[in-house]
Amino acid sequence: MSFNILIVDDSNSMRTVIRKVIAMSGFDVDNCFEATNGIEALTVLSENWVDLVISDINMPEMNGIQLLEKMSDDEMFKMIPVVMVTTEGNEERMREAFDRGARGYLRKPFLPEECRNMLYKVVGFRENGKYETDDDDAGSLDF
Amino acid sequence: MKRTMMMLAASISEVFEKMFFLYLEMTEERHNGPFLKASISFSGSESGVLDMYFSESLLTSMAQNMLSLEAGKIGKDEREDCAREAANMVCGNFLAAMEPARRYDMTIPRCIEVDTMQEEDAQADGRRMDYSSGGTNWALAAILSAGFRGS
């Protein structure tokens, strides 16, 4: 199973780090798209098939919470799992993100293995190189 | 204020060690510049500003480690991006540690080049921390605006 992944962050450095973590994590990635804010992310989503979105919260133009809201209003986009990777770690912010459909939440700063483990968890990838779908009922996955 | 600054110091250490693989040491020495200054404002139950002054050599090392690039391939854009991202992470991490149940909104960090530290920041005793690393020209100063106390 290969993935198309969208990384949304206004920091080029942070997008690069996340892209490298993904590359080192054993994911079979077809395309790794990038966007610098929520508006650009929606454009990428409307033009490409994306399996997983990794998004910052604090961004110009359209922030990560607004992006989640827009995605949850769209029948297609709301099925795509979103992991928030952000510096904003207070409980209210986390609740706000989960209430709007985020599947995972990773606080910056993070170690590469923390990022990898969160992504594994969200896409159902196991350390043995299998996905949950390889030997589980497909219905047990939530996307 | 002492507890607040200790938590800010813990946040700086965590960000530099985890994201930039750098171990900075607090110093009494005051650096004169030039610096790249990154500022981020926050508002919530209290408001404030965190200013961080970076020497160019420190930013080059940060970008090298974060992006796995050679020093010669690191330009102004990479250094500024690292300064903004560091200020963003330090501030967010600090506020979450200080008051995890309270919500703070942070602005997008801004960067400017300065030859010397602003007078107000240079004299911000008790709200300022200076860092260096032995044998290098790394310099970092972090200044929390007056009035922020945390709860």
Side-chain angles (χ1 to χ4, degrees):
Chain A
M1 182 174 178
S2 57
F3 290 94
N4 285 346
I5 295 178
L6 169 60
I7 302 168
V8 192
D9 199 308
D10 56 327
S11 163
N12 182 42
S13 304
M14 193 51 68
R15 294 197 307 274
T16 302
V17 168
I18 295 171
R19 204 171 57 234
K20 284 183 176 177
V21 170
I22 291 169
M24 291 187 301
S25 298
F27 287 101
D28 188 1
V29 177
D30 264 349
N31 292 294
C32 192
F33 303 105
E34 295 186 18
T36 63
N37 59 50
I39 294 172
E40 282 185 20
L42 291 171
T43 303
V44 173
L45 289 169
S46 65
E47 293 172 354
N48 302 278
W49 181 266
V50 171
D51 302 294
L52 173 66
V53 175
I54 300 165
S55 179
D56 187 16
I57 288 182
N58 192 19
M59 297 180 289
E61 310 292 336
M62 181 189 286
N63 68 34
I65 298 293
Q66 292 166 323
L67 171 63
L68 278 171
E69 283 170 356
K70 291 280 184 190
M71 287 179 68
S72 65
D73 288 342
D74 186 286
E75 286 303 311
M76 287 294 286
F77 298 166
K78 73 180 179 188
M79 308 300 288
I80 304 170
V82 181
V83 176
M84 307 309 289
V85 180
T86 179
T87 60
E88 303 198 30
N90 70 72
E91 292 154 12
E92 188 185 330
R93 239 341 174 199
M94 282 192 241
R95 213 168 31 245
E96 192 178 22
F98 282 115
D99 287 349
R100 284 161 177 74
R103 296 279 185 87
Y105 198 103
L106 183 65
R107 278 257 316 275
K108 292 190 264 187
F110 55 79
L111 293 169
E113 48 269 39
E114 291 170 339
C115 183
R116 182 197 61 194
N117 291 344
M118 171 55 72
L119 298 179
Y120 277 5
K121 188 177 159 193
V122 169
V123 301
F125 188 73
R126 291 175 175 168
E127 291 287 350
N128 63 7
K130 288 185 173 181
Y131 294 94
E132 286 185 6
T133 44
D134 290 346
D135 48 19
D136 293 347
D137 290 335
S140 64
L141 273 183
D142 44 2
F143 71 96
Chain B
M1 197 65 193
K2 192 175 175 188
R3 175 179 170 267
T4 301
M5 295 310 285
M6 282 173 63
M7 295 191 82
L8 181 59
S11 176
I12 289 170
S13 295
E14 187 181 357
V15 167
F16 276 79
E17 288 169 22
K18 276 190 170 178
M19 294 307 301
F20 303 108
F21 312 109
L22 293 175
Y23 298 84
L24 299 173
E25 298 161 11
M26 267 200 218
T27 179
E28 295 294 316
E29 191 185 340
R30 297 287 169 103
H31 305 280
N32 294 322
F35 297 104
L36 189 68
K37 178 187 176 187
S39 299
I40 184 165
S41 304
F42 53 88
S43 57
S45 59
E46 291 185 70
S47 298
V49 180
L50 175 68
D51 290 326
M52 294 182 74
Y53 291 80
F54 303 84
S55 68
E56 184 175 314
S57 59
L58 174 60
L59 285 171
T60 300
S61 294
M62 289 163 65
Q64 267 185 285
N65 290 0
M66 189 181 190
L67 305 173
S68 307
L69 289 176
E70 291 168 22
K73 292 187 175 172
I74 292 163
K76 187 181 172 191
D77 288 349
E78 287 77 20
R79 285 193 292 271
E80 285 194 1
D81 196 40
C82 277
R84 274 193 295 268
E85 197 55 31
N88 191 36
M89 284 188 281
V90 168
C91 190
N93 203 32
F94 163 67
L95 293 172
M98 282 292 294
E99 303 191 273
R102 291 189 179 170
R103 176 177 172 153
Y104 279 92
D105 291 312
M106 300 188 302
T107 60
I108 306 292
R110 289 179 301 121
C111 266
I112 53 165
E113 288 177 6
V114 292
D115 288 332
T116 56
M117 196 174 285
Q118 286 175 337
E119 187 69 20
E120 186 189 338
D121 289 339
Q123 296 179 358
D125 289 328
R127 298 181 287 108
R128 168 178 172 176
M129 288 180 299
D130 288 80
Y131 292 84
S132 66
S133 188
T136 70
N137 291 320
W138 292 349
L140 170 69
I143 296 111
L144 190 62
S145 60
F148 180 80
R149 292 175 303 169
S151 59

